[in-house]
């Protein structure tokens, strides 16, 4: 049983299918998108070891010849070096513009394979099969693709929409608890930025989502995808409303940069801490009530996620260094900081020209030096 959600972009519209058994049926879903039944599957070592045989079997049954390109897991793979390796492998396979790439993994694989698809021979189609909760509810939908650089996260990339997204909920059974919590950070983000009713539902049912209770998980993933589809349809290239999806990301990306994009702070954990900081900064600026910020942080913390700097590192962060990272953020314009802030639970907005000194002072009040 699955649900299909349309991302309506005219001739580039595509479905996001959410449900069970989608990997086993992937061949018959992908075959109609192909001019010839040939593909390269970009995956990481962990996902491929767990689920690669299932996907290969599904593609083989549909008469699709597939070649795996397996990369190391982790954010460090989402780099110029990782991009060069994948594009070289694609060229060696002599794929052409009529072929399709399959991104089979979490957000790192989806971003990396999607960007490779965007630039390979000036653009080749790709399909997303996200295998983490974070990728299913967020990064696989909407066409954002990118790599990281030493100067910041996702600073080099392209908008390149997939042809199809298959979000198989069964695959989440093998997801480590920490990764499940990271994905939940992006789930609760949708409630915090634009759907107070969904936020309240998560307050009551978040534990069931984290426990992978089928009905709760299916509802949460489908609701997030539907919200993102609506936003992407209105603002595909993030000129306006789509920026709201970056709630928590300006603070979070800065924290990720300071911690080296490693296992000390995973992306979802950075987003969780960033959302807590964004709500408290909003309260400090008189934009929302303090109790609203406290309730947001409590809901995030209930999932075992960080909301404060001290929960990330025993050593204090340097406020000025964090602000410098924020100045490299994609939303920054003409040297001015842009944040997604909140007026209340379920109502976020884009705040441009935020004073860097005010941000630094706030971070010091939160324990930075």
């Amino acid at each position: 049983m699955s649900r299909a959600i349309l991302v309506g972009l005219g001739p580039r519209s595509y479905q996001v299918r959410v449900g069970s058994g989608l990997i086993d049926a992937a061949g018959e879903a992908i075959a109609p998108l192909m001019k010839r039944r040939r593909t390269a599957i970009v995956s990481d070592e962990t996902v491929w070891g767990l689920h690669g045989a299932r996907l290969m079997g599904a593609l083989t049954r549909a008469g699709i010849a597939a070649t795996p390109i397996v990369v190391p897991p982790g954010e460090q793979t989402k780099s110029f070096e990782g991009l060069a390796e994948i594009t070289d492998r694609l060229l060696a396979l002599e794929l052409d513009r009529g072929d399709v790439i399959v991104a089979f993994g979490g957000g790192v694989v989806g971003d990396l394979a999607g960007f490779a698809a965007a630039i390979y021979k000036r653009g080749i189609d790709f399909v997303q099969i996200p295998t983490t909760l974070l990728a299913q509810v967020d990064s696989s939908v909407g066409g954002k693709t990118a790599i990281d650089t030493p100067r910041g996260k996702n600073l080099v990339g392209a908008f390149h929409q997939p042809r199809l997204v298959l979000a198989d909920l069964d695959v989440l059974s093998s997801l480590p608890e920490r990764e499940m919590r990271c994905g939940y950070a992006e789930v609760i983000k949708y409630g915090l930025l634009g759907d107070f009713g969904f936020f309240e539902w998560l307050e009551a049912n978040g534990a069931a989502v984290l426990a992978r209770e089928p009905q709760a998980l299916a509802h949460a993933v489908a609701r997030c995808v539907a919200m993102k589809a609506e936003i992407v349809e209105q603002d595909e290239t993030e000129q306006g409303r789509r920026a709201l999806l970056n709630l928590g990301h300006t603070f979070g990306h800065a924290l990720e940069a300071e911690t080296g994009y490693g296992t000390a702070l995973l992306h979802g954990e950075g987003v969780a801490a960033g959302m807590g900081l964004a709500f408290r900064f909003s309260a400090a600026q008189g934009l929302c009530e303090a109790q609203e910020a406290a309730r947001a942080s409590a809901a995030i913390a209930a999932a075992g996620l960080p909301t404060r700097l001290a929960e990330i590192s025993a050593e204090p962060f340097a406020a000025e260094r964090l602000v410098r990272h924020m100045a490299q953020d994609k939303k920054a314009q003409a040297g001015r900081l842009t944040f997604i802030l909140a007026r209340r639970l379920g109502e976020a907005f884009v705040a441009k020209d935020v004073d860097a000194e005010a941000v630094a002072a706030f971070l010091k009040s939160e324990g930075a030096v």
Side-chain angles (χ1 to χ4, degrees):
M1 185 71 179
S2 65
R3 175 180 172 184
I5 298 158
L6 182 70
V7 181
L9 295 170
R12 293 176 299 110
S13 297
Y14 57 93
Q15 286 188 347
V16 181
R17 300 180 191 173
V18 178
S20 298
L22 297 180
I23 291 175
D24 297 307
E28 60 190 67
I30 295 171
L33 305 177
M34 296 178 157
K35 293 182 179 177
R36 58 176 179 170
R37 297 199 172 188
R38 184 181 178 196
T39 188
I41 307 167
V42 180
S43 188
D44 70 37
E45 294 161 357
T46 302
V47 170
W48 194 251
L50 289 169
H51 308 292
R54 283 180 62 202
L55 181 57
M56 285 293 286
L59 295 175
T60 299
R61 289 192 297 274
I64 299 170
T67 302
I69 299 175
V70 182
V71 300
E75 193 80 23
Q76 294 87 342
T77 298
K78 209 173 83 171
S79 62
F80 278 109
E81 293 78 14
L83 180 66
E85 178 181 350
I86 287 177
T87 52
D88 185 64
R89 292 284 301 278
L90 295 174
L91 290 165
L93 290 171
E94 298 182 351
L95 294 184
D96 62 34
R97 287 182 179 176
D99 294 323
V100 174
I101 298 171
V102 175
F104 184 47
V108 167
V109 164
D111 276 6
L112 185 60
F115 189 28
I119 62 175
Y120 179 79
K121 296 187 177 179
R122 297 194 176 95
I124 185 173
D125 287 340
F126 82 114
V127 170
Q128 289 266 24
I129 306 181
T131 60
T132 66
L133 179 59
L134 189 152
Q136 289 186 359
V137 301
D138 194 68
S139 61
S140 67
V141 181
K144 276 188 177 181
T145 72
I147 57 172
D148 302 336
T149 81
R151 295 187 181 275
K153 188 177 176 71
N154 296 333
L155 294 180
V156 177
F159 287 96
H160 188 56
Q161 299 291 344
R163 293 289 308 281
L164 175 70
V165 181
L166 301 175
D168 190 336
L169 301 178
D170 295 342
V171 78
L172 300 181
S173 64
S174 63
L175 197 65
E177 291 296 331
R178 187 182 182 190
E179 292 284 354
M180 194 70 186
R181 290 194 298 271
C182 284
Y184 186 79
E186 294 283 0
V187 172
I188 200 169
K189 177 191 78 176
Y190 285 94
L192 290 170
L193 72 86
D195 187 343
F196 178 63
F198 183 49
F199 172 78
E200 287 188 305
W201 183 88
L202 289 169
E203 285 185 309
N205 296 278
V209 174
L210 288 165
R212 293 165 245 219
E213 192 279 319
Q215 288 186 329
L217 187 59
H219 174 73
V221 173
R223 179 61 190 137
C224 293
V225 170
M227 284 186 69
K228 184 158 191 182
E230 178 187 357
I231 290 170
V232 169
E233 289 167 2
Q234 295 174 1
D235 179 24
E236 181 181 0
T237 58
E238 199 173 282
Q239 302 303 304
R241 191 180 175 209
R242 186 169 181 177
L244 296 176
L245 296 169
N246 290 303
L247 176 64
H249 286 59
T250 304
F251 283 113
H253 285 172
L255 293 169
E256 285 185 85
E258 270 302 278
T259 53
Y261 301 116
T263 57
L265 184 71
L266 301 183
H267 175 63
E269 294 164 342
V271 170
M275 290 189 295
L277 290 164
F279 265 84
R280 290 196 297 278
F281 181 64
S282 298
Q285 296 297 300
L287 300 169
C288 79
E289 297 294 333
Q291 59 263 35
E292 297 271 296
R295 186 175 172 184
S297 290
I300 296 165
L305 290 161
T307 65
R308 295 188 178 275
L309 299 179
E311 296 166 2
I312 297 170
S313 173
E315 298 296 323
F317 289 94
E320 299 300 337
R321 284 179 58 87
L322 290 174
V323 171
R324 282 200 295 274
H325 286 302
M326 294 171 192
Q328 291 287 334
D329 187 86
K330 298 181 297 301
K331 299 182 295 301
Q333 295 182 359
R336 303 294 188 178
L337 300 181
T338 298
F339 282 81
I340 311 306
L341 300 179
R343 294 190 178 93
R344 60 183 61 87
L345 294 165
E347 187 180 336
F349 69 99
V350 180
K352 297 186 177 182
D353 201 15
V354 175
D355 182 59
E357 291 185 2
V359 175
F362 166 73
L363 288 167
K364 290 176 182 176
S365 75
E366 289 277 319
V369 295

